[in-house]
Amino acid sequence: MSLNTAHKVTLTEAQISIILYTLEDYMLKGNISNDPDLPNEVDAIFQELEGVIDKYYDKIEEAKSKQPTPDW
């Protein structure tokens, strides 16, 4: 198995927020890693996790838009 093998995990929105906050804080403190690929890898993680949240809210908005409007 390689490090690029995709996995499916279940995280709450709060857990995703903590991960993103921690990564952002780490990167803002000067990226103390010697890995030149780290910024791109962190960006990819952000895109993936933020994309999941965006898709969820898009799905909710779409479902709401299909609800009938009450006539009262």
Side-chain angles (χ1 to χ4, degrees):
M1 183 167 12
S2 79
L3 291 177
N4 293 321
T5 301
H7 296 276
K8 291 186 183 251
V9 297
T10 302
L11 298 170
T12 66
E13 190 169 339
Q15 290 169 323
I16 290 171
S17 293
I18 290 169
I19 292 167
L20 293 175
Y21 173 80
T22 304
L23 285 172
E24 184 176 34
D25 186 55
Y26 177 80
M27 295 305 288
L28 289 174
K29 288 185 177 176
N31 182 14
I32 56 176
S33 171
N34 291 329
D35 183 356
D37 296 328
L38 185 63
N40 291 334
E41 291 171 356
V42 169
D43 286 344
I45 293 167
F46 262 83
Q47 288 177 2
E48 183 71 26
L49 293 177
E50 288 177 334
V52 168
I53 300 295
D54 291 344
K55 286 178 193 173
Y56 171 78
Y57 283 107
D58 289 346
K59 185 176 176 181
I60 296 294
E61 286 301 313
E62 182 181 340
K64 284 182 181 180
S65 71
K66 293 180 180 179
Q67 293 293 319
T69 306
D71 293 330
W72 32 342

